[in-house]
Amino acid sequence: NLMKKINLFLGALVTIFLISCEGPQGPPGLDGFDGAQGPAGQDGADAIQAQVFELEGVNFDYNDADNLYQTLITFSDFTNFETRKEDAILVYRYDGPVEFEDGAVEDSWGLLPQNFFLDQGIIQYVFTHTLFDAEVFIDGNFDLINLDTGFIDDQILRVVIIPGEFASTGKIDTSNINSVMYQLGITEDDVQKIRLD
């Protein structure tokens, strides 16, 4: 008898609980107070400037004392803004066109430093930069005086100036120039192309 009363009590309790959960949704609550206005952000058009320029016909000069080839790229000759110490500078060398099985052709660009393993030894394209220029070198582990002119004459280089705001995020795949340009919102038509004579 006691067992029936406990079962009846538990059944009534479960039924009341289930019935009390149903019903129309209540009215929405009141909106909270708005917070204080935050500080104004930077103007995107003026605050972040990125640029890609291409130099065709770059010739390297031999430096006998250091056994290397070098060329100097002065930014102010090709840019319309000052670089800052937070900006990242990338230099790519044109490796030529690559044809795919489907007949499509894409340009191949190699990010410096770039190594080449030759019969005589190893050469490496490297660069250093300041706020004002980039100096590109061809260094090697053998006497470079007779280096094949295909490595030193009429080269095509692309210089990418990435604003510090983008460079500090670490979210740009710098190994791929197309990815860099996409992330910066730069199209092939935006690339300033200069033929050096």
Side-chain angles (χ1 to χ4, degrees):
N1 210 2
L2 179 64
M3 196 62 147
K4 285 184 181 181
K5 287 182 183 181
I6 292 175
N7 283 340
L8 181 61
F9 175 73
L10 288 177
L13 188 63
V14 169
T15 304
I16 291 171
F17 177 74
L18 290 176
I19 292 173
S20 66
C21 291
E22 293 182 19
Q25 185 173 349
L30 299 175
D31 288 338
F33 295 108
D34 288 336
Q37 178 67 32
Q42 292 180 328
D43 180 7
D46 295 332
I48 299 177
Q49 294 190 33
Q51 188 166 352
V52 178
F53 59 90
E54 178 179 303
L55 303 174
E56 186 178 344
V58 175
N59 295 316
F60 287 81
D61 298 316
Y62 184 67
N63 178 330
D64 189 40
D66 296 324
N67 186 41
L68 54 80
Y69 286 88
Q70 62 194 60
T71 191
L72 183 68
I73 301 167
T74 304
F75 300 145
S76 62
D77 292 344
F78 312 106
T79 61
N80 55 5
F81 61 91
E82 291 184 21
T83 57
R84 301 180 323 195
K85 65 180 179 177
E86 299 86 16
D87 295 345
I89 309 298
L90 304 175
V91 179
Y92 295 84
R93 179 180 171 274
Y94 182 63
D95 291 325
V98 175
E99 186 172 346
F100 295 93
E101 291 179 9
D102 65 358
V105 177
E106 290 287 330
D107 289 335
S108 175
W109 294 91
L111 176 64
L112 302 189
Q114 189 179 36
N115 296 320
F116 290 89
F117 300 91
L118 310 174
D119 291 338
Q120 305 93 325
I122 302 169
I123 63 168
Q124 182 178 44
Y125 288 86
V126 294
F127 76 99
T128 61
H129 70 86
T130 68
L131 294 176
F132 309 105
D133 55 38
E135 191 162 17
V136 182
F137 302 94
I138 305 172
D139 196 3
N141 65 356
F142 61 95
D143 188 0
L144 297 180
I145 187 70
N146 295 318
L147 184 62
D148 186 307
T149 58
F151 291 105
I152 58 177
D153 292 339
D154 205 28
Q155 299 297 299
I156 301 174
L157 301 176
R158 276 197 180 173
V159 177
V160 180
I161 300 172
I162 302 176
E165 291 86 353
F166 275 113
S168 64
T169 66
K171 295 182 179 179
I172 296 179
D173 175 12
T174 58
S175 67
N176 182 334
I177 193 169
N178 295 321
S179 174
V180 171
M181 289 173 50
Y182 176 79
Q183 290 292 321
L184 296 173
I186 296 174
T187 66
E188 190 67 29
D189 293 336
D190 297 327
V191 176
Q192 181 183 3
K193 297 181 181 180
I194 300 107
R195 173 74 190 169
L196 303 177
D197 292 318

